[in-house]
Amino acid sequence: MAVGNKVHVLESDANLAALDQGVLSYDAASDLEFVADACDRDNDTAHALVAGIGPVGLIGFQLFRLPVEIFLHGMYQAGQTPVQMTYAGLNFDIFSGLTAPAMAWLVWRGKAGRAMIWGWNIFALLLLVNIVTIGIFSLPTEFRIFMNEPANTFVAYVPYVWLPAVLVQAALLGHLLIFRWLWAQRVEY
């Protein structure tokens, strides 16, 4: 799988190495704001999403992570991403996508209790945190721990920038909304 023509978001790969803590801090701050909004009891949008989609849809939504992980593996095979960011390395997020349909089915059939839903959601969220952490530690920055090549630079180019900017945020939002649903149903379910 070839990456093809890259549209540079940064002028060069060298600029990616020049990322400073200000950029990473900004992302962390915006993520914290995102989390706070999704968890806010008075957030009408989050409430409408939970009520309209329901737990089966929220859990089943996480299936989108399966093709993302297959894509990342293809990028590794093409020499565009480091092995640790794939299921051949340290990224086990594929299990979130693989188990989401079964978990959604169990919830739909009434066979998954609260503890099972909590457990699955925490497990899948931890897998997401794991790959985000691996991705950060694979960037060519002062935070880099994984020194194997290639460094995690493909996420700085369009359309791959959508992976951290949209897809990771969507997965996080899905988990937060499942937690919100669990919290709202704590007496009824």
Side-chain angles (χ1 to χ4, degrees):
M1 175 188 301
V3 174
N5 295 329
K6 294 180 181 178
V7 177
H8 290 271
V9 173
L10 302 172
E11 289 183 26
S12 71
D13 289 343
N15 287 351
L16 186 60
L19 286 174
D20 63 8
Q21 289 178 331
V23 173
L24 294 175
S25 296
Y26 174 76
D27 287 345
S30 64
D31 285 349
L32 291 175
E33 183 178 348
F34 176 78
V35 168
D37 284 346
C39 295
D40 183 5
R41 287 185 312 168
D42 299 326
N43 186 319
D44 293 333
T45 304
H47 178 72
L49 281 171
V50 171
I53 298 172
V56 173
L58 292 172
I59 292 169
F61 169 72
Q62 297 294 336
L63 173 65
F64 86 89
R65 289 156 77 170
L66 179 60
V68 171
E69 298 309 322
I70 293 169
F71 167 77
L72 283 174
H73 189 74
M75 292 287 285
Y76 161 64
Q77 290 176 323
Q80 299 296 318
T81 194
V83 66
Q84 67 269 13
M85 292 186 57
T86 72
Y87 52 79
L90 300 173
N91 179 1
F92 305 107
D93 195 43
I94 195 166
F95 292 114
S96 300
L98 286 170
T99 59
M103 189 64 191
W105 183 82
L106 289 171
V107 171
W108 176 64
R109 300 290 294 168
K111 297 179 185 273
R114 287 177 49 78
M116 187 175 198
I117 299 169
W118 272 100
W120 179 86
N121 202 41
I122 290 168
F123 170 72
L125 180 59
L126 288 174
L127 290 175
L128 181 66
V129 168
N130 176 59
I131 185 52
V132 168
T133 303
I134 291 168
I136 291 169
F137 290 154
S138 298
L139 288 167
T141 66
E142 62 195 55
F143 301 111
R144 189 171 182 186
I145 292 175
F146 298 103
M147 296 301 182
N148 58 310
E149 295 296 333
N152 180 16
T153 58
F154 80 98
V155 294
Y157 301 104
V158 175
Y160 311 111
V161 70
W162 286 76
L163 179 62
V166 176
L167 298 177
V168 168
Q169 304 300 321
L172 176 61
L173 177 63
H175 288 298
L176 295 175
L177 293 177
I178 293 167
F179 284 132
R180 187 182 174 104
W181 177 83
L182 284 164
W183 182 254
Q185 303 298 318
R186 65 190 177 280
V187 177
E188 300 171 24
Y189 196 80

